[in-house]
Amino acid sequence: MKAKNLVAVVLSLFAPFTLAKPSTHWSYEGQGSPEHWGDLNASWEMCKNGQFQSPIDIRQPVNGNLPALEINLHTKSQSIVNNGHTVQIVVDDDDDFMLDNQAYHLKQFHFHTPSENRIEGQTFPLEAHFVHANQNGELAVVAVMFTEGAENPAITAILNNLPAKLNDVKALQKPLNLSALFPADKHYYRYSGSLTTPPCSEGVTWLVMRNNVTLSPSQLSMFVNALKHANNRPLQPLHGRIIVE
Ligand SMILES: [Zn+2]
């Protein structure tokens, strides 16, 4: 799949304004569960045949002295939706960082509970995915793990704006301050992987923050209640990939 198509797929998959649903229903339970994704739709065959799939268990990273990520946070959040797969915030294309001499801009971010990736076998109660694209349409996802602890003001703002009904798109009047969703120390693990939802397209650069942020136990249970079910794809085999930090 060409990179531009990949972005189109990602945006259409997640776009809250798209009323047409994918023709095939996928989910995290029952007939549409992750072990069946690759058989549900011919264009989702990477879900079962891909060799560089996400999520993974991040173990024994190679020290590549990667510098901390410098993210410019000036996101103009546009809207929020609970689409039944995840809680997602669509943004106005403003937030960015440089990677391999290219600018990556934030398109949307969303949440998984429990976490999809693991770090040294450890699972986390919540993982945020910040989906970025460069001008060629290549994707980089910044992942942040949450632990239970102090209340997170950015999560409060998201939960306060959560639409009551599935697939209702709520416009955000005030921009969200995303800084509390990122750890102060932005060193990360890097690996090459895929989308963790159908069509499971590969060529996605994953930047998983080494450090965590917190949310309170009651914030976590509000998230779990909103999602109604776990929305984490199971771990995928590494197939010889190297993880760099
Ligand atoms: Zn995700």
Side-chain angles (χ1 to χ4, degrees):
M1 183 175 292
K2 291 239 174 64
K4 279 238 159 60
N5 296 340
L6 182 53
V7 163
V9 162
V10 166
L11 294 179
S12 68
L13 256 187
F14 291 104
F17 299 107
T18 313
L19 290 175
K21 291 229 168 73
S23 55
T24 314
H25 178 74
W26 63 270
S27 64
Y28 292 96
E29 302 165 313
Q31 302 283 341
S33 62
E35 62 269 33
H36 301 303
W37 289 351
D39 298 313
L40 291 174
N41 185 315
S43 60
W44 299 353
E45 58 111 13
M46 288 304 271
C47 299
K48 63 174 180 182
N49 293 333
Q51 295 293 299
F52 304 108
Q53 291 285 294
S54 296
I56 61 165
D57 187 6
I58 293 168
R59 286 178 184 271
Q60 298 177 319
V62 172
N63 184 0
N65 290 314
L66 297 181
L69 197 65
E70 289 183 29
I71 306 178
N72 301 310
L73 289 171
H74 40 80
T75 301
K76 298 185 187 76
S77 307
Q78 279 188 322
S79 62
I80 180 167
V81 67
N82 180 355
N83 62 19
H85 298 305
T86 188
V87 168
Q88 178 168 291
I89 292 90
V90 174
V91 305
D92 192 12
D93 203 14
D94 236 341
D95 200 337
D96 60 76
F97 59 81
M98 296 295 292
L99 187 73
D100 304 336
N101 295 317
Q102 296 187 64
Y104 282 81
H105 294 273
L106 184 63
K107 301 294 181 186
Q108 49 96 340
F109 64 96
H110 60 265
F111 297 88
H112 298 268
T113 175
S115 68
E116 297 204 296
N117 292 291
R118 297 187 192 186
I119 299 177
E120 302 289 355
Q122 187 184 353
T123 183
F124 296 83
L126 188 74
E127 178 175 352
H129 287 164
F130 298 87
V131 181
H132 293 74
N134 67 12
Q135 62 172 7
N136 298 322
E138 294 159 337
L139 298 181
V141 180
V142 178
V144 178
M145 303 296 185
F146 287 71
T147 55
E148 286 190 58
E151 189 171 301
N152 188 310
I155 295 290
T156 303
I158 289 167
L159 290 170
N160 285 346
N161 283 291
L162 206 55
K165 277 171 54 190
L166 278 188
N167 294 313
D168 273 4
V169 178
K170 181 171 176 179
L172 291 167
Q173 306 302 333
K174 266 188 4 187
L176 297 172
N177 181 350
L178 302 190
S179 58
L181 299 180
F182 293 93
D185 179 338
K186 295 182 181 60
H187 282 89
Y188 58 87
Y189 306 104
R190 177 176 178 164
Y191 77 93
S192 181
S194 73
L195 303 179
T196 66
T197 56
C200 306
S201 316
E202 296 187 338
V204 177
T205 300
W206 280 84
L207 309 173
V208 179
M209 289 286 144
R210 288 201 318 215
N211 293 288
N212 317 318
V213 296
T214 63
L215 84 171
S216 71
S218 67
Q219 289 183 312
L220 178 62
S221 57
M222 286 173 78
F223 250 111
V224 170
N225 288 338
L227 292 168
K228 298 199 169 48
H229 54 77
N231 68 341
N232 62 313
R233 186 188 192 196
L235 290 176
Q236 303 296 308
L238 257 189
H239 289 308
R241 277 174 288 176
I242 289 173
I243 303 155
V244 184
E245 69 175 334

